[in-house]
Amino acid sequence: MAQDRPGTWFGFGFCGFGQALGSGRGHQVHSPEPLRTGDDICRVSASWSYTALVTREGCVKVSGSTSGAVGGCRDAWASERLLVVLRNGPESRAELLAWAPGSAPQGEPLWTRELGAEAEREGVPTGREIHAGLLPLLPGARAYLSPQPPFCRPLAPELRARRLELGAEHALLLGAAGQVFSWGKGRHGQLGHGTLEAELEPRPLEVLQGLPMAVVAAGGWHSLCVSEAGDIYIWGWNESGQLALPTRSLAEDEKMVPERALGLNGADSEVERTAGAEDEATAPFIAVQAFPALLDLPLGSDAVMASCGSRHTAVVTRKGELYTWGWGKYGQLGHKDAASLDRPCRVEYFIDKQLQVKAVTCGPWNTYVYAVEKGDS
């Protein structure tokens, strides 16, 4: 995912607090627009009301409900309760600084933490590569950040974490050998264990055993992973079509609802069946998918990376195309409208502009994309 040559970051979706997102005009952007920050951005971390941009020169710039900048940084992680930056501390030792968003990053930090020598030996992002960043997983993979106390939570060394993603109420961890673990609340099936029960500790997804994964992504209440072979597995809440499964809320005829039955079916999905007004046929809608479901992209495209918003999903293919689906009220799908979709749809902007997508990062209600001109690969 690293890129030596410069490309361009684009943004689309919600910007009601003035966060950097395309032109920044109005409260929403329906089609990808270049970020007009004037900085050479290497990473983006977006929360609901603000966005943190990390530049190649090590500056974190914050815009939206709060604004400011802090230098000497390698990474940043934004949430509505906490902004955390990873930067060079005294004697070039890495340290964490955390602020409440309302005071970030100009006031006094809520707390600071110096990272140990072991974390330094195991590597810390340099702050120059284009990638999703390491946070909230801490360098050394022995702990991770939480927006609620305790802010630094330990991880068992045997998990050998290489990536960790946080949803609204759950966590996903990718192990060194490609195993996927999940824990937290499971009322929307977001843990992928076939039930709606919570898990207090990281639990492996048995159904994915033997399938090495390369990417994990956590939405508000849904989850996704991409295998090393480029296959997509997705599960959790499907209220807005974010799983690319048929959803009641997007049904063409909302009047066809005289009867309804809910329950976990034999495939561990919560199914709504709606009787048709004319032929009394039943149409299944998936409300909750409690086990990972294999998802095929159009044209048999292989995925290489993914990111999830609160209720939308974005995937980059091996050819550098971007597909999005789910909730689209603020234009976060990038299809020039505010429609929601329960099927993967290619973002044609990047095709039309002859751009190859290299990275995607979703905020809760918006999407950021890094792309380069085709032919430069």
Side-chain angles (χ1 to χ4, degrees):
M1 193 169 169
Q3 298 295 321
D4 293 327
R5 63 189 180 283
T8 302
W9 279 93
F10 298 82
F12 42 99
F14 178 74
C15 53
F17 291 91
Q19 53 265 64
L21 191 74
S23 65
R25 296 189 296 270
H27 294 291
Q28 51 193 277
V29 176
H30 289 177
S31 183
E33 294 183 4
L35 300 191
R36 299 180 181 178
T37 62
D39 298 308
D40 193 2
I41 302 164
C42 64
R43 283 190 290 286
V44 176
S45 181
S47 186
W48 175 63
S49 66
Y50 73 100
T51 298
L53 306 176
V54 184
T55 73
R56 290 180 186 267
E57 300 306 315
C59 183
V60 171
K61 297 196 172 184
V62 180
S63 65
S65 60
T66 187
S67 61
V70 57
C73 299
R74 307 181 184 187
D75 202 359
W77 179 67
S79 75
E80 282 304 295
R81 298 194 179 195
L82 208 62
L83 169 67
V84 181
V85 300
L86 175 65
R87 76 172 189 180
N88 294 326
E91 300 179 0
S92 298
R93 295 287 292 275
E95 66 176 0
L96 297 170
L97 288 82
W99 293 267
S103 63
Q106 298 178 8
E108 283 295 315
L110 285 176
W111 52 265
T112 63
R113 176 173 174 171
E114 184 176 305
L115 300 179
E118 181 182 64
E120 286 292 318
R121 288 196 301 270
E122 296 194 23
V124 178
T126 65
R128 300 189 64 84
E129 300 89 354
I130 300 293
H131 60 70
L134 180 67
L135 301 177
L137 182 64
L138 296 184
R142 298 290 196 273
Y144 67 99
L145 294 169
S146 170
Q148 302 181 42
F151 298 118
C152 293
R153 303 190 180 191
L155 287 171
E158 56 267 25
L159 291 173
R160 300 173 61 212
R162 76 177 199 240
R163 183 73 192 165
L164 186 141
E165 292 276 328
L166 295 180
E169 299 176 328
H170 74 295
L172 287 181
L173 183 148
L174 179 65
Q179 320 98 308
V180 178
F181 300 80
S182 66
W183 66 99
K185 294 183 179 179
R187 57 180 176 162
H188 294 294
Q190 64 264 48
L191 300 186
H193 301 302
T195 74
L196 308 184
E197 300 298 320
E199 295 287 342
L200 297 180
E201 300 294 334
R203 176 182 170 184
L205 271 71
E206 289 87 354
V207 72
L208 298 178
Q209 291 293 324
L211 295 172
M213 297 296 153
V215 175
V216 293
W221 298 270
H222 71 292
S223 305
L224 177 151
C225 59
V226 178
S227 73
E228 292 181 353
D231 296 322
I232 300 170
Y233 295 86
I234 194 164
W235 63 95
W237 198 30
N238 192 48
E239 189 273 342
S240 297
Q242 58 264 49
L243 303 188
L245 296 171
T247 180
R248 180 184 178 90
S249 66
L250 300 184
E252 291 184 1
D253 190 348
E254 294 291 344
K255 296 180 181 179
M256 296 169 61
V257 290
E259 296 183 5
R260 176 182 170 192
L262 279 177
L264 284 178
N265 69 0
D268 298 285
S269 299
E270 187 177 86
V271 175
E272 301 179 8
R273 291 194 177 272
T274 304
E278 297 181 358
D279 58 11
E280 296 185 357
T282 58
F285 300 115
I286 306 300
V288 168
Q289 175 68 33
F291 259 143
L294 179 63
L295 172 64
D296 292 324
L297 292 178
L299 306 176
S301 301
D302 292 334
V304 293
M305 67 186 66
S307 185
C308 298
S310 178
R311 286 182 284 158
H312 74 288
T313 307
V315 166
V316 180
T317 70
R318 205 174 302 279
K319 293 182 178 179
E321 297 175 339
L322 178 70
Y323 284 84
T324 61
W325 61 92
W327 190 49
K329 179 178 180 179
Y330 293 97
Q332 59 264 49
L333 303 187
H335 301 304
K336 301 181 181 179
D337 57 27
S340 299
L341 295 168
D342 59 5
R343 67 189 186 281
C345 186
R346 189 173 67 181
V347 180
E348 296 298 327
Y349 175 91
F350 299 103
I351 303 298
D352 296 341
K353 298 294 184 181
Q354 293 291 301
L355 294 172
Q356 187 175 28
V357 175
K358 294 292 185 181
V360 62
T361 299
C362 293
W365 294 3
N366 51 31
T367 307
Y368 291 86
V369 173
Y370 180 77
V372 299
E373 291 184 6
K374 287 185 177 179
D376 289 347
S377 298

